Amino acid sequence: MLFRQSYQLLSAVRPAGNITTNLIARFISRNNRLQQCLSKENDKDSTDVKLSNPIALSEDTKKFDDGVYASHSTQNDNNVAKATSLTCAHPNITAPHVDNFLDDDDEKSITLPKPLDVYTEDLSDIGPYLTSTFSFAKYANKSRIIQELVKLGVELYKLESKEGMVQYILGLDFDRDVKPYITFLYDCGVPADYLGHFITKNPYIFKEDIDDLHTRIRYLRAHEFNINMIKTIICKNPRWLLHSTKDIDGRLSYFQTNFKLKGNEVRIFTVKGPKVVTYHMMHIMANTFSIKQDMEFNDKQMKQLLLRMPRLWVKNRERLIRIFEYVHDEMKLSHDLIVQSPHILLCRKNRLQQRHMFLVEMKKANYDPSKPLYVSPRALVSGTDVDFCRNIAKTSIDVYNEFLKTF
């Protein structure tokens, strides 16, 4: 009973195969050339026939099954016909392939190494010349620019902290991009042993136009700066050459106008404080206001402070005020004494306080030059603790150290 039911089920499924066979027969009958080719090749092995585009045939079959074969484009029919006629006339001919363009001699001359062969050729140089890196050490043995900068004494590790500087330096050509600037700096008076320090402080000079640099030097010469002055200015402040002549002229005019400086005084101030000239103008103006209003120095005293100690204008404003208050209120130094020894305003407050209190303990805190045992404010803040004890306090360093433990 079970076998009989299975046979009936199989009989019910069987007509589906007949329908597929009929569809293929109808498709072949509509293509006369394909039917002729198939009839000629019935006696041969069916594997010899190779269609150049079997996907097109399968797509056509799908369209025929869906009932839309009649609307198929004639171009696809022609393609199928050409491919079929070619394979029928020459069953062993297939479509050309790119690999067949190589000659037999070329193929024989190519010998590929085996996978496990030992390869002794150095391949370290193969690849892009400049890859992403944050250190010059990667190209120290390959890059000539790095080797030449090291010979000059440039501290390359300090340049690595500047954003984009590593890639910029590696992209320079020494003869084209660096050598003309070194010659220019040497002609301006920069010593050969100082070139490395100069480039370390100002590596951006290679981005400046060489003609602009000559113009900025000629500007100083036109304002009666001699060669030694120019040498001192660019050695003390290597970034001076990054500023245009218009910018430098405006900054010097500010100091000359606000402090009533003469031409020679402008040159003295510039040589003593070239970093002040190129510093942030907002900071310069804020310190000028504090020195005049908060510390109550008059115009004449401010002028003397600028010519003697221009570094006061680049010092932190809050620290400068705190030190002045301690010197003026606690140590009782007048404005005139401070102007005579402006170095005391550059000392750290903690260090100044320790030494002053030790002199008070030793009863030697006398800062009035008209009285005996006068202590110079500049000598008070100069030198090491050993120098202070030997020259000012006239005692041993052990006594001073014991005092600091109780301070």
Side-chain angles (χ1 to χ4, degrees), residues 132-152:
S132 299
T133 180
F134 297 95
S135 174
F136 289 105
K138 183 177 180 180
Y139 297 99
N141 296 328
K142 303 178 183 178
S143 177
R144 182 178 174 232
I145 182 66
I146 295 179
Q147 297 171 0
E148 295 296 335
L149 291 179
V150 170
K151 292 178 183 178
L152 289 173

Side-chain angles (χ1 to χ4, degrees), residues 298-337:
N298 57 38
D299 294 340
K300 183 179 179 180
Q301 292 170 342
M302 287 181 60
K303 179 179 178 179
Q304 293 176 347
L305 285 175
L306 181 67
L307 295 176
R308 293 178 179 177
M309 189 55 59
R311 288 175 54 192
L312 295 175
W313 270 258
V314 299
K315 190 175 178 61
N316 182 270
R317 179 183 177 184
E318 289 75 14
R319 294 180 182 176
L320 184 62
I321 294 176
R322 287 198 299 266
I323 294 175
F324 170 79
E325 291 175 348
Y326 184 81
V327 171
H328 185 264
D329 300 336
E330 299 295 332
M331 298 177 62
K332 306 300 181 182
L333 267 66
S334 63
H335 286 78
D336 291 333
L337 287 177

Side-chain angles (χ1 to χ4, degrees), residues 167-231:
Q167 298 298 328
Y168 171 71
I169 293 296
L170 291 174
L172 295 177
D173 181 81
F174 182 78
D175 294 329
R176 184 188 69 241
D177 303 323
V178 177
K179 194 173 181 179
Y181 293 88
I182 294 177
T183 304
F184 165 78
L185 294 175
Y186 186 78
D187 293 340
C188 291
V190 179
D193 57 352
Y194 194 79
L195 289 172
H197 178 76
F198 186 97
I199 297 174
T200 303
K201 293 294 184 180
N202 183 20
Y204 301 100
I205 190 174
F206 302 126
K207 295 184 178 182
E208 299 293 324
D209 189 85
I210 194 70
D211 293 334
D212 293 340
L213 297 179
H214 283 282
T215 302
R216 292 161 192 175
I217 296 298
R218 287 195 296 268
Y219 169 82
L220 295 176
R221 293 290 292 159
H223 286 77
E224 300 181 3
F225 286 87
N226 58 40
I227 297 176
N228 291 329
M229 289 180 176
I230 295 174
K231 171 187 173 182

Side-chain angles (χ1 to χ4, degrees), residues 195-370:
L195 289 172
H197 178 76
F198 186 97
I199 297 174
T200 303
K201 293 294 184 180
N202 183 20
Y204 301 100
I205 190 174
F206 302 126
K207 295 184 178 182
E208 299 293 324
D209 189 85
I210 194 70
D211 293 334
D212 293 340
L213 297 179
H214 283 282
T215 302
R216 292 161 192 175
I217 296 298
R218 287 195 296 268
Y219 169 82
L220 295 176
R221 293 290 292 159
H223 286 77
E224 300 181 3
F225 286 87
N226 58 40
I227 297 176
N228 291 329
M229 289 180 176
I230 295 174
K231 171 187 173 182
T232 304
I233 290 172
I234 62 179
C235 287
K236 282 187 175 182
N237 184 13
R239 290 179 173 267
W240 177 282
L241 294 174
L242 298 181
H243 296 266
S244 64
T245 55
K246 183 178 179 181
D247 186 22
I248 295 295
D249 187 72
R251 290 169 179 268
L252 293 179
S253 299
Y254 167 81
F255 289 102
Q256 185 176 18
T257 303
N258 287 272
F259 298 93
K260 298 178 176 58
L261 302 178
K262 298 179 181 179
N264 189 46
E265 292 174 339
V266 172
R267 287 186 285 272
I268 294 174
F269 154 70
T270 303
V271 173
K272 293 193 69 173
K275 292 183 179 180
V276 179
V277 179
T278 61
Y279 208 73
H280 304 293
M281 287 305 299
M282 295 299 298
H283 185 89
I284 297 295
M285 291 187 288
N287 278 19
T288 302
F289 178 83
S290 297
I291 293 173
K292 185 175 183 179
Q293 301 296 333
D294 298 336
M295 304 180 192
E296 298 180 351
F297 285 97
N298 57 38
D299 294 340
K300 183 179 179 180
Q301 292 170 342
M302 287 181 60
K303 179 179 178 179
Q304 293 176 347
L305 285 175
L306 181 67
L307 295 176
R308 293 178 179 177
M309 189 55 59
R311 288 175 54 192
L312 295 175
W313 270 258
V314 299
K315 190 175 178 61
N316 182 270
R317 179 183 177 184
E318 289 75 14
R319 294 180 182 176
L320 184 62
I321 294 176
R322 287 198 299 266
I323 294 175
F324 170 79
E325 291 175 348
Y326 184 81
V327 171
H328 185 264
D329 300 336
E330 299 295 332
M331 298 177 62
K332 306 300 181 182
L333 267 66
S334 63
H335 286 78
D336 291 333
L337 287 177
I338 295 175
V339 170
Q340 295 299 323
S341 301
H343 299 80
I344 196 171
L345 296 178
L346 297 177
C347 183
R348 297 193 309 270
K349 181 182 177 181
N350 186 35
R351 182 183 185 184
L352 178 62
Q353 187 177 6
Q354 291 174 353
R355 293 187 177 185
H356 170 67
M357 295 303 297
F358 182 71
L359 291 180
V360 171
E361 187 72 16
M362 300 288 294
K363 297 181 179 180
K364 296 180 180 181
N366 179 24
Y367 307 109
D368 188 355
S370 61

Side-chain angles (χ1 to χ4, degrees), residues 28 47 79 95 101 120 133 135 176 268 280 376 381:
I28 295 174
T47 58
N79 293 337
F101 286 104
T120 59
T133 180
S135 174
R176 184 188 69 241
I268 294 174
H280 304 293
S376 171
V381 298

